[in-house]
Amino acid sequence: MGRGVQLLRLGDVARSDADDIIEGVLLCNEQACQREHPIIDGIPVVVADAASWASHQLDGVMRRDDLTPFIESMLVDAAGPASSFDHERSNLSIYGWAHWGDATPTTGRKHGGSYAALLAQAFSMLSAPPSGLWVDLGCSVGRGTLELARRGCSLAVGVDLNFSMLRVAERVRRRARAVFPLRRVGLVYDRFDADVAQVPPDQMSFWCCDVGVLPFADTAFGGALTLNLVDCVPSPLGQLLELGRVLAPGAPALYASPYDWSLNATRTDQWLGGHSQ
């Protein structure tokens, strides 16, 4: 990926909805590259190693979402709690409830949305509301990106590698609805389905990218939101350096982390603190 010039152009469009490209391809203009990057469900997938990404994310991309919760439950009961689908549902439930649980759901539950409190505290540290072009790294199911747009950003770009979570975020952007599986107990899930108010779709965009190798130009962004991310990547220092690369000089970065290191993501020698070295 280039660092200072625009190297991606729109290729074929397979499906669109008004001004939104639902399926298509972005092409790299660099002669030595010539990579093709798919646009799936309105989400550009721009990664350096598409084969590695697909090996981890293909199930989520291909997952159908038109089954009733009744049939889904029967299938997951048969597959058991160790299935990839149940793991995906569990993650969507955790992040979806934290981001969107304060919306009005059809499940009858009355609490949730703890992520909104974290966002409010982060935004309170700014000397002025966010404006211009901002990036939300590790955007998950999209609440931070929406709040950036609500607060005045001309464009808030949400970035994550998890396609299933980005699909939830993109539905909020295009349909103003938060829809995700919400765990009741064990393998039993309800379907959370709620309206989301004040969604400015033209001020939001979601991209499937590696936060350690961002496909954006140097100094492209006037600010960044990066909450609970740095302890979820293979190279925390590399991710922070990449964040610094895409930020304009003096641009603010709203940062938070519990430093809850997971060996599934980060080797001990890459931790920022928490070990003797």
Side-chain angles (χ1 to χ4, degrees):
M1 293 297 166
R3 289 300 189 246
V5 295
Q6 181 174 331
L7 291 177
L8 294 177
R9 61 183 171 86
L10 182 63
D12 291 338
V13 175
R15 187 160 60 97
S16 62
D17 179 9
D19 293 332
D20 288 322
I21 298 169
I22 308 302
E23 293 180 4
V25 63
L26 292 172
L27 304 173
C28 181
N29 283 328
E30 197 171 72
Q31 189 171 10
C33 177
Q34 299 295 310
R35 283 196 182 101
E36 296 178 325
H37 301 283
I39 301 171
I40 307 168
D41 292 341
I43 302 163
V45 180
V46 186
V47 294
D49 186 352
S52 176
W53 176 83
S55 69
H56 293 91
Q57 296 292 322
L58 190 60
D59 283 351
V61 173
M62 302 294 288
R63 190 90 67 203
R64 60 188 295 182
D65 61 0
D66 59 337
L67 296 175
T68 64
F70 173 75
I71 292 297
E72 276 190 2
S73 294
M74 290 185 64
L75 293 175
V76 177
D77 283 353
S83 69
S84 62
F85 184 46
D86 189 61
H87 178 70
E88 178 186 283
R89 288 200 307 171
S90 176
N91 281 337
L92 287 174
S93 177
I94 293 167
Y95 285 91
W97 187 238
H99 282 234
W100 302 114
D102 58 344
T104 304
T106 57
T107 61
R109 303 193 191 187
K110 301 297 184 183
H111 55 84
S114 58
Y115 191 73
L118 177 61
L119 285 170
Q121 185 172 357
F123 287 127
S124 72
M125 298 179 180
L126 291 174
S127 58
S131 61
L133 182 63
W134 274 59
V135 65
D136 178 11
L137 295 181
C139 68
S140 179
V141 292
R143 181 62 179 268
T145 312
L146 172 62
E147 294 300 336
L148 284 169
R150 281 174 170 173
R151 282 166 168 76
C153 287
S154 57
L155 181 63
V157 180
V159 174
D160 209 288
L161 262 184
N162 187 297
F163 193 84
S164 294
M165 292 189 185
L166 287 169
R167 184 177 272 152
V168 173
E170 177 64 10
R171 186 182 304 220
V172 171
R173 188 192 74 82
R174 283 197 289 124
R175 306 298 183 202
R177 295 197 68 78
V179 181
F180 57 88
L182 181 59
R183 184 173 181 265
R184 190 192 309 172
V185 63
L187 296 176
V188 181
Y189 284 74
D190 299 307
R191 181 168 292 170
F192 185 98
D193 189 342
D195 290 323
V196 178
Q198 298 177 308
V199 177
D202 294 338
Q203 294 167 238
M204 302 163 62
S205 181
F206 291 103
W207 289 60
C208 186
C209 307
D210 184 345
V211 295
V213 190
L214 293 168
F216 306 121
D218 295 352
T219 69
F221 293 98
L225 188 66
T226 173
L227 306 183
N228 302 347
L229 171 67
V230 77
D231 57 350
C232 300
V233 298
S235 175
L237 180 58
Q239 189 271 313
L240 291 173
L241 292 171
E242 185 70 346
L243 170 60
R245 180 186 69 77
V246 300
L247 281 178
L254 299 176
Y255 170 96
S257 178
Y259 298 104
D260 186 18
W261 303 106
S262 169
L263 290 177
N264 292 327
T266 313
R267 294 197 326 256
T268 308
D269 63 319
Q270 296 295 313
W271 292 7
L272 300 178
H275 64 123
S276 59
Q277 286 75 36

